[in-house]
Amino acid sequence: MTYQEQLDKSRIPQHVAIIMDGNGRWAEQRGKQRTEGHIRGVEVVRKIMENAVELGIKYLTLYTFSTENWNRPEQEVTALMGLLFKNIEEDVFIKNQVRFRVIGDIGRLPAPIQAKLNECMEHTKDFDRSCMVLALSYSSRWEITRAARILAEKAVNGEINPSDIDESMVSGVLNTNFMPDPDLLIRTGGEIRLSNYLLWQSAYTELYFCDTFWPDFNMEELCKAILTYQKRERRFGKTGAQVAEEKQNQN
Ligand code: IPE
Ligand code: IPE
Ligand code: MG
C-alpha cells in the first residue's frame, strides 16, 4: 500500500506548515548553481499545493524567504526575487480555487512584487476550498515584535488596558490571525531547527523532519509526514488517559 492509501482521510491535518529547505545543497550536489535548486523548488511548490488541495488540507503555509535570508549574497537574493515575481501566477490559484495570502514584512520586497502579490490576493479572496500562504520576508521575532508595538500603541491611545491583554489578543495581532495554528510542521533538508518560523503558532504543533531536499519532496513524502502525524497522540498538556476519555466521549 502506498503512504497515500494508508492515510486516515477523516484525520487530515487542517493546517500544514513547511520549511522548504535544501534547494542549495540539492544543486551543489549536482555541480549546479544554487539558483538551479531554487528553480526546481518552485516547481515543487506548485505540485505540493495541488497535492495538498487533493488531500483536503485547508491551510498550507510555506516558508519561502526569511528575514535572515536578506543577508544572503546579493546575487542570490536578486535571483530569488526574480523567481518570485515570475511565479506568482494567479491562474494556478484560480484553477484550483485556492485563496492566496502572504505573511511577513512585505514592505521590504521590491514594489513590482508587492503589487503582484496584492493583485493575486485580491483576485483569489473569495475562494475557500483551500488557502496557500507564503511567508515572505518573514520571521517570528519580527512578527511578535510588531505585535507588541501594535498593542502598546493601542494601550497608549486608550483603546485597550494593558491588563486586558491575553493570548487571544496577541494572536489577533499576528500576521497569521486569519488561520488556525499549524497541526503539522514539516522541515525538509535535514536540519533540526525552526529558523524563526511560526514560533508562537507552533506551541503545540507536531514537528516532522526529513532529510529529503526540497526539490525532491513529493506527494509520497507529504503523505509519509501526515501518516507519522496521524500516529502521534496530541495531549496538549493532559495525560494520555484524559485524552482517551475525551475521545470516547466524542464518539
Ligand atoms: C531553502 O533552500 C530556500 C530558501 C531559504 C530561500 P536553501 O537555499 O536554504 O538551501 P540549502 O539549505 O542551502 O541547501
Ligand atoms: C529557512 O531556511 C528559511 C526558509 C526555508 C525560507 P534557511 O536555510 O534560511 O535556514 P538556516 O539558515 O539553515 O537556519
Ligand atoms: Mg537552507
Side-chain angles (χ1 to χ4, degrees):
M1 261 211 299
T2 64
Y3 290 119
Q4 192 175 350
E5 286 162 351
Q6 290 175 59
L7 289 181
D8 176 349
K9 303 281 185 302
S10 68
R11 287 174 50 238
I12 296 293
Q14 195 184 10
H15 180 177
V16 176
I18 308 184
I19 301 174
M20 309 182 288
D21 198 20
N23 291 353
R25 280 165 289 158
W26 179 92
E28 280 157 14
Q29 265 189 0
R30 287 161 179 77
K32 297 179 186 209
Q33 297 286 322
R34 290 177 58 84
T35 312
E36 292 291 319
H38 297 315
I39 292 171
R40 270 292 279 260
V42 171
E43 290 168 22
V44 176
V45 167
R46 194 168 301 140
K47 271 195 229 130
I48 290 297
M49 182 193 85
E50 293 185 339
N51 295 156
V53 172
E54 184 188 332
L55 292 172
I57 294 166
K58 281 285 175 193
Y59 297 90
L60 182 67
T61 309
L62 304 176
Y63 206 7
T64 308
F65 191 83
S66 73
T67 304
E68 289 75 21
N69 288 151
W70 285 114
N71 299 322
R72 290 200 176 187
E74 200 186 319
Q75 191 199 355
E76 184 166 338
V77 173
T78 307
L80 283 166
M81 291 301 143
L83 267 178
L84 181 61
F85 184 77
K86 217 173 106 189
N87 288 287
I88 310 160
E89 293 170 327
E90 58 181 51
D91 297 359
V92 179
F93 298 111
I94 293 169
K95 189 182 110 197
N96 290 288
Q97 300 202 306
V98 168
R99 183 171 188 186
F100 173 74
R101 297 285 305 249
V102 287
I103 53 171
D105 192 0
I106 303 311
R108 282 186 79 176
L109 298 170
I113 296 186
Q114 291 184 43
K116 221 170 161 185
L117 291 170
N118 286 329
E119 210 173 293
C120 192
M121 283 193 275
E122 177 62 27
H123 292 166
T124 62
K125 71 178 193 307
D126 295 326
F127 294 134
D128 60 2
R129 186 175 178 208
S130 214
C131 181
M132 185 175 102
V133 184
L134 293 188
L136 288 170
S137 188
Y138 172 89
S139 77
S140 281
R141 288 186 175 181
W142 165 80
E143 180 188 41
I144 293 168
T145 304
R146 174 182 171 274
R149 203 178 300 127
I150 292 171
L151 292 178
E153 277 166 10
K154 282 184 194 277
V156 168
N157 294 340
E159 288 170 53
I160 57 166
N161 243 319
S163 58
D164 293 339
I165 297 174
D166 58 11
E167 289 185 11
S168 80
M169 204 184 278
V170 176
S171 292
V173 289
L174 295 178
N175 280 220
T176 50
N177 60 7
F178 59 94
M179 57 183 168
D181 288 340
D183 300 295
L184 169 65
L185 186 148
I186 299 169
R187 182 175 187 141
T188 67
E191 311 294 357
I192 317 291
R193 57 174 170 258
L194 295 176
S195 303
N196 221 346
Y197 192 42
L198 301 175
L199 300 182
W200 168 279
Q201 297 85 342
S202 60
Y204 268 104
T205 299
E206 294 299 329
L207 308 180
Y208 179 89
F209 298 93
C210 66
D211 289 333
T212 311
F213 292 139
W214 178 252
D216 289 329
F217 197 75
N218 58 23
M219 176 65 138
E220 275 304 282
E221 294 268 347
L222 175 63
C223 291
K224 194 170 161 188
I226 296 174
L227 201 61
T228 305
Y229 162 86
Q230 291 185 337
K231 287 181 181 149
R232 304 237 184 112
E233 181 182 59
R234 301 183 79 184
R235 287 194 287 274
F236 298 99
K238 296 183 180 174
T239 66
Q242 284 175 299
V243 173
E245 197 185 312
E246 281 172 5
K247 218 165 151 187
Q248 214 164 36
N249 291 342
Q250 270 169 18
N251 295 333

